[in-house]
Amino acid sequence: MKKLLVASIILMLLILSPTARAQTLPSQPSKEEEEKARAELERKVLILLEEVVSDSQLLKLAENRAIVQASAADLLWARDEKRARAFFRDALTGIGDAFAGTDRKDSSQMYAYMMLVQLRHQLLRMVARRDAQLALDLLASTRPPAADDASKNFGIPDQELALEQSLAVEAAANDPKRALQMAEESLSKGISYSLLSVLRRLQQKDSELAQRFLADIIKKLQTENFSRSPMAAFVAQDLLRTALRPQEAIAFGKSQGAVPVKPLSFDDQTKRDLADVVTRAALGGQNDFPAILSIQYLLPDLEKLVPERSEQLRKRVSDAQKALDPQARKWMELEPLMRDGTTDAILEAAGKAPAGIRNALYSSAAWKLFEAGDAERARQIISDNLSGQERDQALAQIDRRLVMRALEQGKLDEAKKLIARVQSKQGRATQLSLLAMALMKKGERKMALELMEETRKLVNPQPDNQEEINILLVVARAYASIDAARAFELIEPVVDQANDMISAAALLDKFSAGGQGGMFRKGEMVLQPGFMTASTMFTQYGRELGALARADFTRTKQVADRFQRNEVRLMARLMIAQSVLSDRLGAGEEDDSGLGFSLSFGGNVGMINTFEY
């Protein structure tokens, strides 16, 4: 029931989210008329935002108020920076006060505490995109208090360091020089994996600054105490892998969009320095098995770079492997084959492999064939060697990739033929909807509407389960960019159903969670930002669904206001304001703030699998 409830609410909120600038008016008005309409829409939405901020003061939970305040600050930054700064401070101060009021000795409050930690991280990253120094100030003033029992600090010092370094990642988008300064200052305190993200972002913005920071990281690694900083070993390995095989490492050298990114430069001495660091970490006497085992793929290179230690390294890795159970050890032996081996070699190994590993090998071989352009043989391997749901899912994924490839290449007739063999209703609805939108982009609206009528037959207007919710979502998504009126017809009845489910869930949660660790607290639904739920869904579907508000703002707002609970209604209205006013949603840019369009009810992250199709 919780999954169905979450899906229903997120469905409503996403469909209500207008990304007006990504759309064009159906009647193709003149430029002057379009500017006038855009200005009028913005005026209405600014009034709506004022109402949302005012009404948010009635919310009981500090974290819910903080989400509204921070979101409003982000939207107002370009219009009223002074007021936006005040909202950011109010939001983070509220989180700090909530920390002080949470007793970590009380196990029933631990869930709420961890949700506050997550929210603070995401709010600070949002602030850093606007003003790096403000983010650092708020980071320092809102640190969670240390627990009396060090074992209950949950690695807060390490988390704070990683958070501080992640703020530099956000700052780099607008001010690479300031980001480098922040990262260098933070680097003196220790190493976290966030440094690699800073390096990648700097590389996108200024390759010279990235090269300078790379040298700083290596210098720090050379003096690091790996027994106190286990993450440093993984950072060193990642950098060495990038130096030796950049095509297999984190994509430091990939192009971002149409802008080429200059690869990082690693001379021979730098490679030897990194090899020495990796070797020292592995032989340092600590039984950090993950770090030790992960260097086995670097052993051939390490033997060339530090030949005098090759025997010690192999023994160290061998000893670590012996501590694994037999199946895990077999996985490690076969992983290089699955990554680098030929299809025939993988198939031969699959015939001899234990049952728990065999299917993974067949799947690996099939996908290698698919990527090489032999989809039919890939399907044959899956059909002959896998069974049940695993086989069906693999075949469906191949069909999905083929359809997407045909759509990308503009082969619409071929795409329709491929869709005909998709078995699941959800998969067929998704692919037909994508095809309809592709037709719409080509200006063939009549054909798109005909196709959507076929798709609509797959929809249950009153969905009873997860799959039916998903089908309604993808069909409404397509209709939003083809015929907004029909999208409204689909979603409006579901609001009442969602309200009933919210009421029922509130009652059940009261008894099952005692008002502490569930979807509700103090009688209010917890609207926490979730990096794996609605934020992901919005980036996938938000632009098409945004056509609704542009087509009829009043009706869109009326649908949002039909939510009975104040907190859900506020978030629906806030999402309308975000999508129209946000200056982060320019051409080709996604809002990945992790807050602006995200809701995670009760920490439920299972929804992410819903939208794989």
Side-chain angles (χ1 to χ4, degrees), residues 198-484:
V198 178
L199 187 59
R200 287 196 296 277
R201 187 65 64 87
L202 284 175
Q203 190 185 355
Q204 296 168 18
K205 298 294 181 178
D206 190 321
S207 59
E208 291 185 9
L209 294 182
Q211 201 68 42
R212 173 176 155 186
F213 189 49
L214 172 63
D216 292 338
I217 296 175
I218 294 173
K219 185 176 180 180
K220 175 68 174 176
L221 286 169
Q222 289 175 312
T223 61
E224 196 70 2
N225 183 335
F226 292 97
S227 63
R228 283 188 250 170
S229 179
M231 187 56 67
F234 290 103
V235 171
Q237 289 179 28
D238 212 319
L239 289 175
L240 180 58
R241 194 175 295 112
T242 300
L244 298 172
R245 294 186 291 277
Q247 71 280 5
E248 296 177 9
I250 296 176
F252 290 115
K254 279 189 177 180
S255 295
Q256 302 295 320
V259 181
V261 177
K262 184 179 179 180
L264 291 169
S265 174
F266 295 86
D267 59 26
D268 290 342
Q269 184 58 52
T270 300
K271 293 175 184 177
R272 284 194 292 271
D273 290 342
L274 283 170
D276 182 70
V277 169
V278 170
T279 301
R280 182 164 58 86
L283 300 178
Q286 299 297 317
N287 290 323
D288 187 357
F289 288 145
I292 295 169
L293 290 168
S294 63
I295 71 165
Q296 68 170 319
Y297 310 121
L298 292 169
L299 277 177
D301 300 294
L302 290 171
E303 288 178 333
K304 297 175 183 177
L305 292 166
V306 284
E308 68 279 7
R309 296 188 180 181
S310 60
E311 186 175 341
Q312 290 175 283
L313 284 170
R314 286 201 171 276
K315 185 177 186 307
R316 188 73 163 147
V317 171
S318 177
D319 290 343
Q321 287 176 334
K322 290 175 183 177
L324 297 172
D325 64 77
Q327 182 157 322
R329 193 156 56 243
K330 191 65 177 176
W331 268 110
M332 296 204 69
E333 291 174 6
L334 291 172
E335 196 279 336
L337 175 66
M338 286 191 282
R339 186 183 67 244
D340 302 322
T342 65
T343 302
D344 290 339
I346 296 172
L347 290 173
E348 182 180 354
K352 305 173 184 177
I357 301 175
R358 190 180 304 134
N359 286 359
L361 287 164
Y362 282 125
S363 295
S364 175
W367 282 109
K368 278 182 178 288
L369 285 167
F370 181 88
E371 295 299 337
D374 194 346
E376 287 310 310
R377 190 179 173 206
R379 287 180 59 85
Q380 193 62 51
I381 289 174
I382 295 295
S383 298
D384 291 346
N385 297 288
L386 303 187
S387 61
Q389 187 176 17
E390 186 176 11
R391 177 195 60 205
D392 295 342
Q393 289 179 347
L395 291 174
Q397 190 174 4
I398 288 175
D399 289 340
R400 172 180 175 271
R401 295 277 294 275
L402 287 171
V403 172
M404 292 304 297
R405 184 181 294 175
L407 289 172
E408 289 167 2
Q409 295 173 352
K411 299 177 180 178
L412 303 187
D413 290 338
E414 179 181 333
K416 191 168 184 180
K417 291 177 182 177
L418 289 166
I419 292 171
R421 68 184 187 187
V422 174
Q423 296 297 312
S424 75
K425 289 178 67 175
Q426 181 181 332
R428 196 156 62 253
T430 302
Q431 304 299 359
L432 287 171
S433 297
L434 289 172
L435 180 56
M437 288 189 287
L439 288 166
M440 186 69 180
K441 287 179 180 178
K442 291 185 65 177
E444 299 178 14
R445 187 169 185 268
K446 182 179 179 181
M447 291 180 63
L449 284 171
E450 290 174 356
L451 197 60
M452 286 306 302
E453 284 303 307
E454 178 182 343
T455 308
R456 190 170 182 172
K457 295 174 184 177
L458 300 170
V459 174
N460 179 356
Q462 292 289 317
D464 294 323
N465 55 52
Q466 187 77 48
E467 183 184 27
E468 291 180 356
I469 283 281
N470 301 340
I471 293 171
L472 194 152
L473 172 61
V474 297
V475 175
R477 169 208 178 191
Y479 265 132
S481 58
I482 298 172
D483 187 337

Side-chain angles (χ1 to χ4, degrees), residues 21 34 55 59 74-75 90 99 161 181 190 195 209 224 247 250 254 323 367 461 592:
R21 281 169 298 186
E34 189 172 326
D55 292 348
L59 296 172
D74 198 50
L75 296 175
D90 288 345
F99 276 132
L161 175 62
Q181 182 185 359
L195 292 175
L209 294 182
E224 196 70 2
Q247 71 280 5
I250 296 176
K254 279 189 177 180
W367 282 109
D592 59 347

Side-chain angles (χ1 to χ4, degrees), residues 40-58:
E40 177 62 15
L41 178 61
E42 182 169 322
R43 185 189 69 81
K44 292 178 180 179
V45 174
L46 282 170
I47 294 172
L48 178 67
L49 180 62
E50 291 294 335
E51 295 173 356
V52 169
V53 173
S54 176
D55 292 348
S56 70
Q57 300 308 306
L58 300 175

Side-chain angles (χ1 to χ4, degrees), residues 472-541:
L472 194 152
L473 172 61
V474 297
V475 175
R477 169 208 178 191
Y479 265 132
S481 58
I482 298 172
D483 187 337
R486 299 190 189 189
F488 278 117
E489 290 172 7
L490 282 174
I491 66 170
E492 287 178 330
V494 189
V495 176
D496 297 329
Q497 183 183 9
N499 282 327
D500 292 340
M501 294 170 65
I502 293 170
S503 297
L507 181 62
L508 289 173
D509 194 83
K510 181 178 180 180
F511 289 97
S512 63
Q516 294 296 334
M519 297 173 64
F520 297 81
R521 195 163 66 251
K522 297 181 181 179
E524 187 170 284
M525 181 175 283
V526 181
L527 306 175
Q528 286 285 358
F531 61 91
M532 290 180 67
T533 53
S535 58
T536 302
M537 293 177 234
F538 184 86
T539 57
Q540 291 176 354
Y541 302 117

